[in-house]
């Protein structure tokens, strides 16, 4: 009688999956902890100047990146929650399928941790809490948070991973 393989594949795949899922949980925890500090200590719109180019500010984003669709009337909350959820499920599948690709998995786990952090906000508050505010010489970058940073780092790592893969295959 043939043995039935364990769910999740071999031990190495399971260990790798656990590592990347832990990384995503660390990102979610750091994101939610920092947002809770902001919610507890700042009123909406209140800011603290840290340097001449950086403030801590409490901002609410009902849209996506750069406040895309922030004035859409409320339906976007559920759209972006759904996108974050579906993306996270897809990422889990990719982590399972590519356990030996460390940079790729780091990138995906970072994106997933950030996506889940922002989904939690949308479900709890109806908006994403942003608080990192950079500006210089009249230029102002939209406020963002730890989750957004993780998504950005993950996206950059995905690009680097693909460039390295293309270079190896050339």
């Amino acid at each position: 009688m043939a043995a039935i393989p364990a769910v999740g594949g071999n031990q190495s795949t399971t260990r790798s999956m656990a590592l990347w899922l832990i990384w995503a949980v660390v990102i979610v925890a750091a994101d939610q902890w920092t947002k809770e500090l902001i919610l507890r200590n700042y009123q909406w719109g209140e800011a603290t100047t840290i340097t001449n180019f950086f403030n801590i500010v409490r901002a609410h984003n009902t849209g996506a990146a750069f406040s895309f669709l922030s004035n859409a009337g409320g339906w976007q909350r559920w759209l972006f929650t759904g996108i974050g959820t579906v993306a996270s499920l897809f990422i889990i599948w990719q982590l399972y399928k590519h356990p030996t690709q460390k940079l790729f998995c780091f990138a995906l786990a970072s994106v997933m941790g950030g996506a889940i952090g922002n989904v939690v906000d949308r479900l709890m508050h109806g908006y994403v809490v942003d608080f990192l505010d950079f500006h210089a010489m009249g230029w102002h970058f939209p406020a963002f948070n730890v989750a957004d940073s993780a998504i950005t780092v993950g996206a950059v790592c995905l690009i680097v991973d693909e460039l390295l893969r293309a270079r190896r295959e050339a």
Side-chain angles (χ1 to χ4, degrees):
M1 180 182 261
I4 299 172
V7 174
N10 64 36
Q11 249 185 347
S12 176
T13 299
T14 303
R15 205 172 312 119
S16 179
M17 281 284 298
L19 173 69
W20 300 121
L21 294 176
I22 289 168
W23 176 240
V25 168
V26 166
I27 291 169
V28 173
D31 178 64
Q32 291 300 302
W33 179 70
T34 54
K35 290 172 178 174
E36 181 58 32
L37 287 174
I38 295 302
L39 290 171
R40 204 174 321 134
N41 294 297
Y42 288 81
Q43 296 298 315
W44 180 79
E46 187 179 357
T48 300
T49 301
I50 305 298
T51 69
N52 61 350
F53 63 88
F54 174 64
N55 303 325
I56 299 291
V57 63
R58 179 172 167 179
H60 299 169
N61 183 359
T62 57
F66 307 108
S67 297
F68 175 69
L69 292 178
S70 62
N71 295 321
W75 60 266
Q76 72 277 20
R77 171 186 185 184
W78 304 110
L79 173 68
F80 295 132
T81 297
I83 289 170
T85 302
V86 169
S88 295
L89 292 172
F90 177 75
I91 287 170
I92 289 169
W93 178 65
Q94 288 296 299
L95 292 172
Y96 175 78
K97 298 295 280 181
H98 305 281
T100 61
Q101 297 178 20
K102 289 180 175 37
L103 182 57
F104 181 70
C105 289
F106 171 81
L108 289 179
S110 297
V111 169
M112 182 172 68
I116 292 171
N118 284 339
V119 163
V120 169
D121 274 19
R122 290 181 198 290
L123 292 173
M124 287 178 45
H125 310 296
Y127 54 83
V128 173
V129 176
D130 289 328
F131 58 91
L132 301 169
D133 181 39
F134 288 88
H135 54 90
M137 299 176 289
W139 172 82
H140 192 266
F141 194 80
F144 59 98
N145 56 46
V146 172
D148 298 335
S149 300
I151 292 168
T152 301
V153 167
V156 168
C157 288
L158 282 173
I159 293 167
V160 169
D161 181 66
E162 186 56 33
L163 291 172
L164 292 173
R165 187 179 354 271
R167 187 177 208 187
R168 281 191 303 268
E169 292 174 2

